[in-house]
Amino acid sequence: MATVRGHDEGWRVMGRRTVGRRAPSRYGRALGALALGAALCATAAPTGRASAASPVTESGTPKPYAYAEDDTTVEGAANTTNAARLEPGRTYRSSIGEGGKLYYRLALDARSDAYVSATAVPRPGTTVSYADGVKVSVQDDNSRRCSSSAAAHFGASESPRPIAAWASREIGPTRYSCQTAGTYYVVVERVDSAGSSASASLSPGDWDLELAYVSEPALKKAGSTKAPEAWNSASPEALQGDARTRAGGAGFATAAALEKGVWKDGIRPGQTLFYKVPVDWGQQIYAGAELGSSTGGDGFLGTALVVSLYNPVRGFVDDVGCGYDGSQRAAVLDPLPPVAYENRYALNDRTSSMRFAGSYYLAVHLAAQVADKFGDGPFGLTLRVRVEGAAQAGPAYAGRADPRDVFDAAAGAPAEASGGTTAGAGDRAVGSGSGTDPHMKAVAAGGLGTGTALLLVLAVWTAVVRRRARRWAAAGDTSAPASSAAPPALPWDPEAPRGM
């Protein structure tokens, strides 16, 4: 049997092409380092991004709020003269101090409706009272309010959590103010038990804010200005069946997508979990949450679990709470009307807020005081979500909303509803809202990145070998390896033999 003694003594043994063992050249060492570095970077990079969506820290304590990754930091002004301009379709991060009143600026046309929401996020260690909250209004340059604006309060739970208020400038035949193009101002106020931003609150310290600005185009043709009066207000039967696991997000931007069904999660005292449910034109949403029984502790808390519903522009729709004594308790939202463009003309705020198709957000909060009586948890949480009615054609808009898909129910659908992976029992879509495990997303992304990097390295190696072979041939080097002129063809190589 022939033996390979060196690269200059031949490369073929018994008819097979064999690679001799040589000390790696500087090209080989460089390429090896490149491959290793690229593989490590491609594998490691996605993991941090996926874990950032988790609603709890590594130690198991709740994160207070997850802001959108593309939030722009903006400073609210103490007067209109220095107000920073907000752009439609964008979200912003700001903060407001005790007794604060801040101004932001809008440049509006005479056709589109504008909606601005402010989510107030008290910082850790904050103490709040029943009436503490945040209020938003849109005003013209003569201080006229463009719409009625109600403050969002922490309510009976007196537990600090993210709460959102909203305001609008609307164009239409039933509106009398703010109908012209020009400069308008968003006013965000921190209110207390007196309903004023001028006196001190029981919750000192700054609160963080997340602002969202949505623009809705006008209709191509004006329609009815009367809200539908007849709709099914009866509560349907509660959904039954085995619950699927879905981990809620820690903010609007990371809300986990749900569809019709029974879902389960775990929640800790002081934590707020966010979920989103796609609701199309003509459909009704029914939702409720059940807090599971405790394994220890005793006592009673008047408002322990709070379920809040927000519309696609983060406008408040309704909320409901329930007490807790260690046994299972449920909080179920009252029936709401089907989504209809004309709902905006209703006098009732609950009905008026059901004016858009898109993702409706469920914010589920467990009061911090639960820990004092029943421990740190987590406690079992069961969500029952039902969307009824056939999807109908939406209004004929004359332009495009900003953000573009904000009124598109399909854009907020879970992965299994839009052709993706089905989320079965035990799946945990932390923050992303899809049925896919974020860690598996990281592994998949890393695998794709590593494969791409290795293909790049192999391509460089092939080019180097061929260039060296041509150089040897031009110099008449007879000691060059016979196989150097034709290195092994790779499957993706255009010169590789086919049909094998």
Side-chain angles (χ1 to χ4, degrees), residues 163-207:
I163 56 174
W166 67 313
S168 64
R169 192 293 300 260
E170 300 172 50
I171 299 292
T174 63
R175 313 299 178 186
Y176 304 102
S177 61
C178 305
Q179 297 297 289
T180 60
T183 297
Y184 291 80
Y185 299 97
V186 176
V187 185
V188 180
E189 303 174 70
R190 182 167 154 178
V191 299
D192 64 3
S193 55
S196 168
S197 59
S199 57
S201 167
L202 293 178
S203 48
D206 288 354
W207 296 351

Side-chain angles (χ1 to χ4, degrees), residues 308-326:
S308 303
L309 181 69
Y310 296 91
N311 66 25
V313 301
R314 305 186 185 184
F316 176 78
V317 178
D318 197 11
D319 64 5
V320 63
C322 68
Y324 191 62
D325 60 0

